[in-house]
Amino acid sequence: RGPVVPLEPGKTKISIRLDNRVLEHFRSLVEQAGGGNYQTLINDALKAYVTQQALESTLRKLIREELRRAA
């Protein structure tokens, strides 16, 4: 299938099925930017989602604690 590219530390090669619409979106972003790697954009979007979820979870926990203290 092509040359073997060594994996970057902290990354795992997987096979995943994505909707064509998702792939088209990220490929069009790369094309608009004049080049790049759509897989990197997908990875960045997933990392941002995970970070956002963790932040929301932490904020909810802090708010609940503050509400308990105020009650």
Side-chain angles (χ1 to χ4, degrees):
R1 289 199 174 195
V4 175
V5 179
L7 293 176
E8 295 176 39
K11 293 201 173 191
T12 302
K13 182 179 178 181
I14 64 165
S15 176
I16 185 173
R17 297 183 197 288
L18 300 173
D19 291 341
N20 289 335
R21 185 173 171 197
V22 171
L23 288 174
E24 289 167 8
H25 171 76
F26 285 99
R27 286 177 175 157
S28 72
L29 290 177
V30 166
E31 187 177 314
Q32 290 170 16
N37 185 328
Y38 74 93
Q39 292 175 346
T40 299
L41 291 182
I42 293 171
N43 189 63
D44 291 346
L46 290 170
K47 284 193 301 188
Y49 176 81
V50 169
T51 300
Q52 179 67 30
Q53 294 301 306
L55 176 61
E56 286 178 16
S57 176
T58 300
L59 287 174
R60 286 188 176 117
K61 181 180 175 184
L62 290 171
I63 291 169
R64 279 192 294 268
E65 289 174 5
E66 290 299 319
L67 289 173
R68 273 190 233 126
R69 288 182 192 150

